[in-house]
Amino acid sequence: QQPVQSPQAVILREGEDAVINCSSSKALYSVHWYRQKHGEAPVFLMILLKGGEQKGHDKISASFNEKKQQSSLYLTASQLSYSGTYFCGTPVYSGGGADGLTFGKGTHLIIQP
Amino acid sequence: KAGVTQTPRYLIKTRGQQVTLSCSPISGHRSVSWYQQTPGQGLQFLFEYFSETQRNKGNFPGRFSGRQFSNSRSEMNVSTLELGDSALYLCASSSEGEGEKLFFGSGTQLSVL
């Protein structure tokens, strides 16, 4: 089942902070975050594992709340290069393990100078 | 290391035709997954292959099929094309050594007229 992301879109000024949320109706064991710039392929940002620590990537960090079945992505002091669409993904499990990801519909982030 | 390569980059077909898309994963990656991306639905999981075996399949009709060869290259086929199949088709490869991190290709933009 597809995770739900919010907000759908955010417009910020350079230097402002943003939070993107991702929630699931199913139990989560891991959450993946990707960023896609216009006309480009999605690029991996980070994976958060159940019971794991909060991850960081430059000034982008994320948390994972297993009880609430949600993850949040934090962008601090945003830069122009942060613009793009952010997707969270949760594993698709078959009998043998996690095979593929199901993604949320994405959050469009626009950073203005 | 070369990235994930998808061919062709653009494709225009008419309703009722069939199409085959190709994906060459990163050298050494044995898992290949396919995604359909549309503005309305975002990234949707199609299927995942590992060592020539389909391990998981998303919620798509049987017109969508795929296969993986012994060199890990993968093809995706869509038969009896419909207008709604117009989308960006992304392929991603991953390696057991890098967990579930996906490396995406630039995609094939399919337009069905």
Side-chain angles (χ1 to χ4, degrees), chain A residues 6-82:
Chain A
S6 63
Q8 285 186 320
V10 185
I11 301 175
L12 297 175
R13 292 267 182 219
E14 205 173 359
E16 292 181 336
D17 301 339
V19 180
I20 299 171
N21 298 305
C22 172
S23 63
S24 173
S25 58
K26 299 194 309 182
L28 289 177
Y29 298 94
S30 67
V31 177
H32 302 225
W33 287 96
Y34 287 78
R35 176 173 64 203
Q36 184 178 31
K37 293 182 180 287
H38 184 69
E40 298 180 9
V43 173
F44 171 82
L45 289 176
M46 64 190 79
I47 294 176
L48 292 104
L49 304 175
K50 183 178 179 178
E53 299 174 357
Q54 184 167 338
K55 297 278 191 176
H57 174 83
D58 194 9
K59 289 184 180 175
I60 301 174
S61 62
S63 63
F64 183 17
N65 187 322
E66 298 152 26
K67 271 189 176 179
K68 292 185 178 180
Q69 293 169 192
Q70 74 178 37
S71 175
S72 296
L73 188 71
Y74 306 95
L75 297 99
T76 306
S78 56
Q79 306 167 17
L80 294 175
S81 61
Y82 288 0

Coordinates of all heavy atoms in Angstrom, one line a residue, chain A residues 6-82:
Chain A
S6 N 3.1 14.3 3.0 CA 2.5 15.6 3.1 C 3.7 16.6 3.5 O 4.6 16.2 4.1 CB 1.5 15.7 4.2 OG 2.0 15.3 5.5
P7 N 3.6 17.9 3.1 CA 2.6 18.4 2.2 C 2.9 17.9 0.7 O 3.9 17.3 0.5 CB 2.8 19.9 2.3 CG 4.2 20.0 2.6 CD 4.6 18.8 3.4
Q8 N 2.0 18.3 -0.2 CA 2.2 17.9 -1.6 C 3.2 18.8 -2.2 O 3.9 18.4 -3.1 CB 0.8 18.1 -2.3 CG -0.1 17.0 -2.1 CD -1.4 17.1 -3.0 OE1 -1.9 18.2 -3.2 NE2 -1.9 16.0 -3.5
A9 N 3.2 20.1 -1.8 CA 4.2 21.1 -2.3 C 4.6 22.1 -1.3 O 3.8 22.4 -0.4 CB 3.6 21.8 -3.5
V10 N 5.8 22.6 -1.4 CA 6.3 23.6 -0.4 C 7.1 24.6 -1.2 O 7.9 24.2 -2.1 CB 7.2 23.0 0.6 CG1 7.6 24.0 1.6 CG2 6.6 21.8 1.3
I11 N 6.9 25.9 -0.9 CA 7.7 26.9 -1.6 C 8.4 27.6 -0.4 O 7.8 28.1 0.5 CB 6.9 27.9 -2.4 CG1 6.2 27.2 -3.5 CG2 7.8 29.0 -3.0 CD1 5.2 28.0 -4.3
L12 N 9.8 27.7 -0.5 CA 10.6 28.3 0.6 C 11.5 29.3 0.0 O 11.9 29.3 -1.2 CB 11.4 27.3 1.3 CG 10.7 26.1 2.0 CD1 11.7 25.2 2.5 CD2 9.9 26.7 3.2
R13 N 12.0 30.2 0.9 CA 13.1 31.1 0.5 C 14.4 30.4 0.9 O 14.4 29.6 1.9 CB 13.0 32.4 1.3 CG 11.8 33.2 0.9 CD 12.2 34.2 -0.2 NE 11.1 35.1 -0.6 CZ 10.9 35.4 -1.8 NH1 11.7 35.0 -2.8 NH2 9.8 36.2 -2.1
E14 N 15.4 30.7 0.3 CA 16.7 30.1 0.6 C 17.0 30.4 2.1 O 16.8 31.5 2.6 CB 17.8 30.7 -0.3 CG 19.0 29.9 -0.5 CD 20.0 30.6 -1.5 OE1 19.6 31.6 -2.1 OE2 21.0 30.0 -1.8
G15 N 17.5 29.3 2.8 CA 17.8 29.5 4.2 C 16.7 29.1 5.1 O 17.0 28.9 6.3
E16 N 15.5 28.9 4.6 CA 14.4 28.5 5.5 C 14.4 27.0 5.7 O 15.1 26.3 4.9 CB 13.0 28.9 4.9 CG 12.9 30.4 4.9 CD 11.5 30.9 4.4 OE1 10.9 30.1 3.6 OE2 11.1 32.0 4.8
D17 N 13.7 26.5 6.7 CA 13.6 25.1 7.0 C 12.3 24.5 6.4 O 11.3 25.2 6.3 CB 13.7 24.8 8.5 CG 15.0 25.4 9.1 OD1 16.0 25.6 8.4 OD2 15.0 25.6 10.3
A18 N 12.4 23.2 6.2 CA 11.2 22.5 5.7 C 11.1 21.1 6.4 O 12.2 20.5 6.7 CB 11.2 22.3 4.2
V19 N 9.9 20.6 6.5 CA 9.7 19.2 7.0 C 8.7 18.5 6.0 O 7.7 19.1 5.7 CB 9.1 19.2 8.4 CG1 8.9 17.8 8.9 CG2 9.9 20.0 9.4
I20 N 9.1 17.3 5.6 CA 8.2 16.5 4.8 C 7.9 15.2 5.5 O 8.8 14.6 6.1 CB 9.0 16.2 3.4 CG1 9.3 17.5 2.7 CG2 8.1 15.3 2.6 CD1 10.2 17.2 1.5
N21 N 6.6 14.9 5.6 CA 6.2 13.7 6.3 C 5.8 12.6 5.4 O 5.3 12.8 4.3 CB 5.0 14.1 7.2 CG 5.4 15.2 8.2 OD1 6.4 15.0 9.0 ND2 4.7 16.3 8.2
C22 N 5.9 11.4 5.9 CA 5.6 10.2 5.2 C 5.0 9.2 6.2 O 5.6 8.9 7.2 CB 6.9 9.6 4.6 SG 6.7 8.0 3.8
S23 N 3.8 8.8 5.9 CA 3.1 7.9 6.8 C 2.5 6.7 6.1 O 2.2 6.7 4.9 CB 2.0 8.6 7.6 OG 1.0 9.0 6.7
S24 N 2.4 5.6 6.8 CA 1.9 4.3 6.3 C 0.9 3.7 7.1 O 0.9 3.9 8.4 CB 3.1 3.4 6.1 OG 2.7 2.1 5.7
S25 N 0.0 3.0 6.5 CA -1.1 2.3 7.3 C -0.6 0.9 7.7 O -1.2 0.3 8.5 CB -2.4 2.2 6.4 OG -2.1 1.5 5.3
K26 N 0.6 0.5 7.2 CA 1.1 -0.8 7.6 C 2.3 -0.5 8.5 O 2.9 0.5 8.5 CB 1.6 -1.5 6.3 CG 0.5 -1.8 5.3 CD 0.9 -2.9 4.3 CE 2.2 -2.5 3.6 NZ 2.6 -3.5 2.6
A27 N 2.7 -1.6 9.2 CA 3.9 -1.5 10.0 C 5.1 -1.3 9.1 O 5.2 -1.9 8.1 CB 4.1 -2.8 10.8
L28 N 6.0 -0.4 9.6 CA 7.1 0.0 8.8 C 8.4 -0.7 9.4 O 8.6 -0.6 10.6 CB 7.3 1.5 8.8 CG 6.3 2.3 7.9 CD1 6.6 3.8 8.1 CD2 6.3 1.8 6.5
Y29 N 9.2 -1.2 8.6 CA 10.5 -1.7 9.0 C 11.7 -0.9 8.5 O 12.7 -0.9 9.1 CB 10.7 -3.2 8.6 CG 9.6 -4.1 9.2 CD1 8.5 -4.4 8.5 CD2 9.8 -4.6 10.5 CE1 7.5 -5.2 9.1 CE2 8.8 -5.4 11.0 CZ 7.7 -5.7 10.3 OH 6.7 -6.4 10.9
S30 N 11.4 -0.2 7.5 CA 12.4 0.8 6.9 C 11.7 1.8 6.1 O 10.6 1.5 5.5 CB 13.5 0.1 6.1 OG 12.9 -0.5 5.0
V31 N 12.3 3.0 6.0 CA 11.8 4.0 5.1 C 12.9 4.5 4.3 O 14.0 4.8 4.8 CB 11.1 5.2 5.9 CG1 10.7 6.3 4.9 CG2 9.9 4.7 6.7
H32 N 12.7 4.7 3.0 CA 13.7 5.2 2.1 C 13.3 6.6 1.6 O 12.1 6.9 1.3 CB 13.8 4.3 0.9 CG 14.1 2.9 1.2 ND1 15.1 2.1 0.5 CD2 13.6 2.0 2.2 CE1 15.1 0.9 1.0 NE2 14.3 0.8 2.0
W33 N 14.3 7.5 1.4 CA 14.1 8.8 0.9 C 14.9 9.0 -0.4 O 16.1 8.7 -0.4 CB 14.4 9.9 1.9 CG 13.4 9.9 3.0 CD1 13.5 9.4 4.2 CD2 12.1 10.7 3.0 NE1 12.3 9.7 5.0 CE2 11.5 10.5 4.2 CE3 11.5 11.5 2.0 CZ2 10.3 11.0 4.6 CZ3 10.3 12.0 2.4 CH2 9.7 11.8 3.6
Y34 N 14.2 9.6 -1.4 CA 14.9 9.9 -2.7 C 14.5 11.3 -3.1 O 13.4 11.8 -2.7 CB 14.4 8.9 -3.8 CG 15.0 7.5 -3.6 CD1 14.5 6.6 -2.7 CD2 16.1 7.1 -4.4 CE1 15.1 5.3 -2.6 CE2 16.7 5.9 -4.3 CZ 16.1 5.0 -3.3 OH 16.7 3.7 -3.2
R35 N 15.3 11.9 -3.9 CA 15.0 13.2 -4.5 C 15.2 13.1 -6.0 O 16.1 12.5 -6.5 CB 16.0 14.3 -3.9 CG 15.8 15.7 -4.5 CD 16.6 16.7 -3.8 NE 18.1 16.5 -4.0 CZ 19.0 17.0 -3.2 NH1 18.6 17.7 -2.1 NH2 20.2 16.7 -3.4
Q36 N 14.3 13.7 -6.7 CA 14.3 13.8 -8.1 C 14.2 15.2 -8.6 O 13.3 15.9 -8.3 CB 13.1 13.0 -8.7 CG 13.1 12.8 -10.2 CD 12.0 12.0 -10.7 OE1 10.9 12.0 -10.1 NE2 12.2 11.3 -11.8
K37 N 15.2 15.6 -9.3 CA 15.2 16.9 -10.0 C 14.5 16.8 -11.3 O 14.5 15.8 -11.9 CB 16.6 17.5 -10.1 CG 17.2 17.8 -8.7 CD 18.6 18.4 -8.8 CE 19.2 18.7 -7.5 NZ 18.6 19.9 -6.9
H38 N 14.0 17.9 -11.8 CA 13.2 17.9 -13.0 C 14.0 17.3 -14.2 O 15.1 17.8 -14.4 CB 12.7 19.3 -13.3 CG 11.9 19.4 -14.5 ND1 10.6 18.9 -14.5 CD2 12.1 19.9 -15.8 CE1 10.0 19.0 -15.7 NE2 10.9 19.7 -16.5
G39 N 13.4 16.3 -14.8 CA 14.1 15.7 -16.0 C 15.2 14.8 -15.7 O 15.9 14.3 -16.6
E40 N 15.4 14.5 -14.4 CA 16.5 13.6 -14.0 C 15.9 12.3 -13.3 O 14.8 12.3 -12.9 CB 17.5 14.3 -13.1 CG 18.1 15.5 -13.7 CD 19.1 16.2 -12.8 OE1 19.4 15.7 -11.7 OE2 19.6 17.3 -13.2
A41 N 16.8 11.4 -13.0 CA 16.4 10.2 -12.3 C 16.4 10.4 -10.8 O 17.1 11.3 -10.3 CB 17.4 9.1 -12.6
P42 N 15.5 9.7 -10.1 CA 15.6 9.9 -8.6 C 16.9 9.4 -8.1 O 17.6 8.5 -8.6 CB 14.5 8.9 -8.1 CG 13.6 8.7 -9.3 CD 14.5 8.8 -10.5
V43 N 17.4 10.2 -7.0 CA 18.7 9.9 -6.4 C 18.4 9.5 -5.0 O 17.7 10.2 -4.2 CB 19.6 11.1 -6.6 CG1 20.9 10.9 -5.8 CG2 19.9 11.3 -8.0
F44 N 19.1 8.5 -4.5 CA 19.0 8.0 -3.1 C 19.5 9.1 -2.1 O 20.6 9.7 -2.4 CB 19.8 6.8 -3.0 CG 20.0 6.3 -1.6 CD1 19.0 5.5 -1.0 CD2 21.1 6.6 -0.9 CE1 19.1 5.1 0.3 CE2 21.3 6.1 0.4 CZ 20.3 5.4 1.0
L45 N 18.8 9.3 -1.1 CA 19.2 10.2 0.0 C 19.6 9.4 1.2 O 20.7 9.5 1.7 CB 18.1 11.2 0.4 CG 17.8 12.3 -0.6 CD1 16.6 13.1 -0.1 CD2 19.0 13.2 -0.9
M46 N 18.7 8.6 1.7 CA 19.0 7.8 3.0 C 17.9 6.7 3.2 O 16.9 6.8 2.7 CB 19.1 8.7 4.2 CG 17.8 9.4 4.5 SD 18.0 10.7 5.8 CE 18.7 12.0 4.8
I47 N 18.4 5.8 4.0 CA 17.4 4.7 4.5 C 17.4 4.8 6.0 O 18.4 4.9 6.6 CB 17.9 3.3 4.1 CG1 17.9 3.1 2.6 CG2 17.1 2.2 4.8 CD1 18.5 1.8 2.2
L48 N 16.2 4.7 6.5 CA 16.0 4.6 8.0 C 15.5 3.3 8.3 O 14.5 2.8 7.7 CB 15.1 5.7 8.5 CG 15.7 7.1 8.3 CD1 15.1 7.8 7.2 CD2 15.5 7.9 9.6
L49 N 16.1 2.6 9.3 CA 15.8 1.3 9.6 C 15.1 1.3 11.0 O 15.4 2.1 11.9 CB 17.0 0.4 9.7 CG 17.8 0.3 8.4 CD1 19.1 -0.6 8.7 CD2 17.0 -0.3 7.3
K50 N 14.2 0.3 11.2 CA 13.5 0.2 12.5 C 14.5 0.0 13.6 O 15.4 -0.8 13.4 CB 12.6 -1.0 12.4 CG 11.7 -1.2 13.6 CD 10.8 -2.4 13.4 CE 10.0 -2.7 14.7 NZ 9.1 -3.8 14.5
G51 N 14.4 0.8 14.6 CA 15.3 0.7 15.7 C 16.7 1.4 15.4 O 17.6 1.4 16.2
G52 N 16.8 2.0 14.2 CA 18.0 2.7 13.9 C 18.1 4.1 14.3 O 17.1 4.7 14.8
E53 N 19.2 4.7 14.0 CA 19.4 6.1 14.5 C 18.9 7.1 13.4 O 18.7 6.7 12.3 CB 20.9 6.4 14.7 CG 21.5 5.5 15.7 CD 23.0 5.7 15.8 OE1 23.6 6.5 14.9 OE2 23.7 5.1 16.6
Q54 N 18.7 8.3 13.8 CA 18.3 9.3 12.9 C 19.5 9.5 11.9 O 20.6 9.6 12.3 CB 18.0 10.6 13.6 CG 17.5 11.8 12.7 CD 17.0 12.9 13.5 OE1 16.6 12.7 14.7 NE2 16.9 14.1 13.0
K55 N 19.2 9.6 10.6 CA 20.2 9.7 9.6 C 20.4 11.1 9.2 O 19.5 12.0 9.4 CB 19.8 8.9 8.4 CG 19.7 7.4 8.7 CD 21.0 6.7 8.6 CE 20.9 5.2 8.7 NZ 22.2 4.6 8.5
G56 N 21.5 11.4 8.6 CA 21.8 12.8 8.1 C 22.5 12.7 6.8 O 23.3 11.8 6.5
H57 N 22.3 13.7 6.0 CA 22.9 13.8 4.7 C 23.1 15.3 4.5 O 22.1 16.0 4.1 CB 22.0 13.2 3.7 CG 22.5 13.3 2.3 ND1 23.4 12.5 1.7 CD2 22.1 14.2 1.3 CE1 23.6 12.9 0.5 NE2 22.8 13.9 0.2
D58 N 24.3 15.9 4.7 CA 24.5 17.3 4.6 C 23.6 18.0 5.6 O 23.7 17.6 6.8 CB 24.3 17.8 3.2 CG 24.9 19.2 2.9 OD1 25.6 19.7 3.8 OD2 24.6 19.8 1.9
K59 N 22.8 18.9 5.2 CA 21.8 19.5 6.1 C 20.4 18.9 6.0 O 19.5 19.5 6.3 CB 21.8 21.0 5.9 CG 23.1 21.7 6.3 CD 23.0 23.2 6.2 CE 24.3 23.9 6.7 NZ 24.3 25.3 6.4
I60 N 20.4 17.7 5.5 CA 19.1 17.0 5.4 C 19.2 15.8 6.3 O 20.1 15.0 6.3 CB 18.9 16.5 3.9 CG1 18.9 17.7 3.0 CG2 17.6 15.7 3.8 CD1 18.8 17.3 1.5
S61 N 18.2 15.7 7.2 CA 18.2 14.6 8.2 C 16.8 14.0 8.2 O 15.8 14.6 7.6 CB 18.6 15.1 9.6 OG 17.7 16.1 10.0
A62 N 16.6 12.9 8.8 CA 15.3 12.2 8.8 C 15.2 11.5 10.1 O 16.2 11.1 10.8 CB 15.1 11.3 7.6
S63 N 13.9 11.3 10.5 CA 13.6 10.5 11.7 C 12.6 9.4 11.3 O 11.9 9.5 10.3 CB 13.0 11.4 12.8 OG 11.8 12.0 12.4
F64 N 12.5 8.4 12.2 CA 11.6 7.3 11.9 C 10.9 6.9 13.2 O 11.5 6.5 14.1 CB 12.4 6.1 11.4 CG 11.7 4.9 11.0 CD1 10.3 4.9 10.7 CD2 12.3 3.7 10.9 CE1 9.6 3.8 10.4 CE2 11.7 2.5 10.5 CZ 10.3 2.6 10.2
N65 N 9.6 7.1 13.2 CA 8.8 6.8 14.4 C 8.0 5.5 14.1 O 7.0 5.5 13.4 CB 7.8 8.0 14.7 CG 7.1 7.8 16.0 OD1 6.7 6.7 16.4 ND2 6.9 8.9 16.7
E66 N 8.5 4.4 14.7 CA 7.9 3.1 14.4 C 6.4 3.0 14.9 O 5.5 2.5 14.3 CB 8.7 2.0 15.0 CG 10.1 1.9 14.4 CD 11.1 1.4 15.4 OE1 10.7 0.6 16.3 OE2 12.3 1.7 15.3
K67 N 6.2 3.6 16.1 CA 4.9 3.5 16.7 C 3.8 4.3 15.8 O 2.7 3.8 15.6 CB 4.9 4.2 18.1 CG 5.2 3.2 19.2 CD 5.0 3.9 20.5 CE 5.2 2.9 21.7 NZ 5.0 3.5 23.0
K68 N 4.2 5.4 15.3 CA 3.3 6.2 14.5 C 3.3 5.8 13.1 O 2.6 6.3 12.2 CB 3.6 7.7 14.6 CG 3.3 8.3 16.0 CD 3.6 9.8 15.9 CE 3.2 10.4 17.3 NZ 3.5 11.9 17.3
Q69 N 4.2 4.9 12.7 CA 4.4 4.4 11.4 C 4.6 5.5 10.4 O 3.9 5.6 9.4 CB 3.1 3.6 10.9 CG 3.0 2.3 11.7 CD 1.7 1.6 11.5 OE1 1.4 0.6 12.2 NE2 0.9 2.0 10.5
Q70 N 5.5 6.4 10.8 CA 5.8 7.5 9.9 C 7.3 7.9 10.0 O 8.0 7.6 11.0 CB 4.9 8.7 10.2 CG 5.2 9.5 11.5 CD 4.3 10.7 11.7 OE1 3.1 10.6 11.4 NE2 4.8 11.7 12.2
S71 N 7.7 8.6 9.0 CA 9.0 9.2 8.9 C 8.9 10.7 8.5 O 8.0 11.1 7.8 CB 9.9 8.4 7.9 OG 11.1 9.0 7.7
S72 N 9.9 11.5 9.0 CA 9.9 12.9 8.6 C 11.3 13.2 8.1 O 12.3 12.8 8.6 CB 9.6 13.8 9.8 OG 8.2 13.5 10.2
L73 N 11.3 14.0 7.0 CA 12.5 14.5 6.4 C 12.7 16.0 6.7 O 11.7 16.7 6.5 CB 12.5 14.3 4.9 CG 13.8 14.5 4.1 CD1 14.8 13.4 4.4 CD2 13.5 14.6 2.6
Y74 N 13.8 16.3 7.3 CA 14.1 17.7 7.7 C 15.1 18.3 6.8 O 16.2 17.8 6.7 CB 14.6 17.7 9.2 CG 13.6 17.0 10.1 CD1 13.9 15.7 10.5 CD2 12.5 17.7 10.7 CE1 13.0 15.0 11.4 CE2 11.7 17.0 11.6 CZ 11.9 15.7 11.9 OH 11.1 15.0 12.8
L75 N 14.8 19.5 6.2 CA 15.8 20.2 5.4 C 16.0 21.5 6.1 O 15.2 22.4 6.3 CB 15.2 20.5 4.0 CG 14.9 19.2 3.2 CD1 13.5 18.8 3.2 CD2 15.4 19.4 1.8
T76 N 17.3 21.7 6.6 CA 17.7 22.8 7.4 C 18.4 23.8 6.5 O 19.3 23.4 5.8 CB 18.6 22.3 8.5 OG1 17.9 21.3 9.3 CG2 18.9 23.5 9.5
A77 N 18.1 25.1 6.7 CA 18.8 26.2 6.0 C 18.9 25.8 4.5 O 19.9 25.7 3.9 CB 20.2 26.4 6.6
S78 N 17.7 25.6 3.9 CA 17.6 25.1 2.5 C 18.4 25.9 1.5 O 18.6 27.1 1.7 CB 16.2 25.1 2.1 OG 15.6 26.3 2.2
Q79 N 19.0 25.2 0.6 CA 19.8 25.8 -0.5 C 19.0 25.6 -1.8 O 18.1 24.8 -1.9 CB 21.1 25.1 -0.6 CG 21.9 25.0 0.7 CD 23.0 24.0 0.7 OE1 23.5 23.6 -0.4 NE2 23.6 23.7 1.8
L80 N 19.4 26.4 -2.8 CA 18.7 26.3 -4.1 C 18.8 24.9 -4.7 O 17.9 24.4 -5.3 CB 19.3 27.3 -5.1 CG 19.1 28.8 -4.8 CD1 19.9 29.7 -5.8 CD2 17.7 29.2 -4.8
S81 N 19.9 24.2 -4.4 CA 20.1 22.9 -4.9 C 19.1 21.8 -4.3 O 19.1 20.7 -4.8 CB 21.5 22.4 -4.7 OG 21.8 22.4 -3.3
Y82 N 18.4 22.2 -3.2 CA 17.5 21.3 -2.6 C 16.2 21.2 -3.4 O 15.4 20.3 -3.1 CB 17.2 21.7 -1.2 CG 18.3 21.5 -0.2 CD1 19.5 21.0 -0.6 CD2 18.1 21.9 1.1 CE1 20.5 20.8 0.3 CE2 19.1 21.7 2.1 CZ 20.3 21.2 1.7 OH 21.3 21.0 2.6

